[in-house]
Amino acid sequence: GMANTAGASAESLLSGTRSASERAELLKIKDNTAAKKKFGQRLEGETVPQVPALCTVLLSMFAPTSAGLFAQTEFDYDIARQTLALREALEAGDTSPLQQVSDHKVLTALLLEYLSELPEPLLLSRNYRVLLDAQRLEDPEEEMGAILSDLPKAHTVLLRHLLTFCVTLSLTAGQHGATVETLAHALGPAMMRAKGRVADEDAPLLYAAVIRLIRNQTAIFQAAAEHIPKAEGEALFLDGKLLLTSGETEKAIEKLTKSYQLLKGKKKTDETLRQLCGLLAVSHELRGNAPEAERYRLLLPTYIQGQA
């Protein structure tokens, strides 16, 4: 499908400029989802959607000769007119007008329009305030990872694509001026999007959050990956406790054991692990399994002293 090809092409074309023939080849990509609207649609699937894929590829090609890339500029009627014409062509499934684009501002405008019109912002509206608050913490990356761990797959795919694009582009900022800060100022409000416009007092925290996302994406996504089993482990722990109180010991042991496996070695869970060992010791005792009960009883002091 088109989305697939565009996603793959975008990834492979993110670095370096391309020859005219390669560029023409890229733009031949036929869109088999022409009937489906492209702007203002929910993100779905596991590939980068066509519009952001093509915009980022072409901006990467334009970059070496484009001074003022992503710089904030006054409203320009001509740019707005070209952006609208390009948008209408893409909505009709026609990528050929992209070959005539001569001003990078048209592509940045198109990309920002696409992001701004997503029904649910890329980073989700419910995460807006918590991501801003996380910037005040000593270790924002850890908290940001926890917040982003429940992003839908399609949102994560596009977010990671855009962050890779930003990093790659910023490496040659000397040629075009698109530093990490410039990119955060341009893309941040569209990616984070509060309800309505960004309040003045929010702006510094919003830019800090997006700069951190671009610069420290590896650490943030690592924290997100670690948070998923932690959240699952804590949910299983609660399930196990409920089953135990309703006398379903066998099922409780199953849930609590899984919970213990997931939480073992995770930070900030000593208290939970201590309770888990206690409950598992009691559960196994109830089932008449003395060796297992003893094993968990012996583990208790480890967690009471917080050595997990």
Side-chain angles (χ1 to χ4, degrees):
M2 167 62 216
N4 233 1
T5 331
S9 312
E11 293 308 327
S12 57
L13 286 167
L14 275 178
S15 50
T17 53
R18 301 278 143 183
S19 68
S21 63
E22 283 176 297
R23 183 173 159 183
E25 200 54 43
L26 168 72
L27 298 176
K28 271 187 207 158
I29 299 167
K30 284 287 171 274
D31 183 7
N32 59 10
T33 57
K36 203 168 176 200
K37 274 193 74 196
K38 291 167 188 63
F39 289 78
Q41 299 302 298
R42 277 181 59 241
L43 289 174
E44 46 193 31
E46 298 193 7
T47 51
V48 182
Q50 184 200 22
V51 175
L54 289 174
C55 285
T56 50
V57 167
L58 290 170
L59 282 165
S60 299
M61 292 176 185
F62 268 119
T65 56
S66 301
L69 196 59
F70 279 99
Q72 310 276 341
T73 51
E74 293 297 306
F75 176 79
D76 181 322
Y77 176 77
D78 194 46
I79 297 295
R81 190 181 49 75
Q82 287 182 58
T83 307
L84 180 63
L86 190 52
R87 176 182 172 143
E88 285 173 350
L90 287 170
E91 286 286 30
D94 179 12
T95 57
S96 61
L98 282 163
Q99 294 180 75
Q100 275 84 55
V101 175
S102 58
D103 194 327
H104 60 85
K105 293 192 200 78
V106 176
L107 295 166
T108 56
L110 198 68
L111 180 60
L112 289 169
E113 270 184 26
Y114 179 86
L115 292 172
S116 301
E117 291 177 29
L118 289 172
E120 181 57 49
L122 185 59
L123 292 166
L124 307 189
S125 37
R126 68 165 181 263
N127 291 336
Y128 178 79
R129 183 58 48 198
V130 282
L131 278 169
L132 262 52
D133 291 344
Q135 305 316 303
R136 299 190 175 98
L137 300 174
E138 207 168 302
D139 180 11
E141 285 76 12
E142 181 77 30
E143 183 60 23
M144 288 171 81
I147 295 163
L148 298 180
S149 66
D150 68 344
L151 273 188
K153 176 76 174 167
H155 284 247
T156 304
V157 166
L158 179 53
L159 175 61
R160 297 200 76 153
H161 175 79
L162 288 174
L163 295 175
T164 304
F165 165 71
C166 289
V167 168
T168 311
L169 210 51
S170 69
L171 297 175
T172 53
Q175 296 174 352
H176 46 70
T179 61
V180 168
E181 288 76 10
T182 303
L183 288 159
H185 278 249
L187 292 166
M191 285 164 64
M192 297 268 296
R193 227 167 74 238
K195 296 287 180 210
R197 62 183 289 279
V198 177
D200 291 342
E201 63 272 20
D202 285 353
L205 290 172
L206 184 145
Y207 298 137
V210 180
I211 287 168
R212 198 163 258 125
L213 262 175
I214 297 169
R215 288 220 168 104
N216 306 342
Q217 53 181 297
T218 309
I220 291 168
F221 284 109
Q222 183 61 45
E226 284 169 11
H227 186 79
I228 294 165
K230 182 170 177 277
E232 196 186 326
E234 281 167 358
L236 285 164
F237 169 59
L238 295 175
D239 287 352
K241 276 209 291 193
L242 282 173
L243 287 165
L244 205 54
T245 54
S246 61
E248 296 183 67
T249 318
E250 196 67 47
K251 281 185 184 167
I253 288 176
E254 197 183 311
K255 298 261 184 192
L256 294 169
T257 307
K258 264 191 206 161
S259 170
Y260 181 74
Q261 294 306 326
L262 286 166
L263 294 175
K264 213 168 39 171
K266 297 267 174 282
K267 284 194 291 186
K268 299 180 187 167
T269 50
D270 292 10
E271 180 51 35
T272 310
L273 284 163
R274 190 179 70 76
Q275 286 185 42
L276 261 172
C277 288
L279 290 172
L280 279 162
V282 170
S283 309
H284 282 296
E285 191 116 348
L286 287 170
R287 299 294 301 165
N289 189 340
E292 278 296 283
E294 184 61 16
R295 185 167 84 84
Y296 285 107
R297 204 166 284 115
L298 289 170
L299 282 167
L300 268 169
T302 336
Y303 298 115
I304 291 168
Q305 292 152 23
Q307 293 168 2

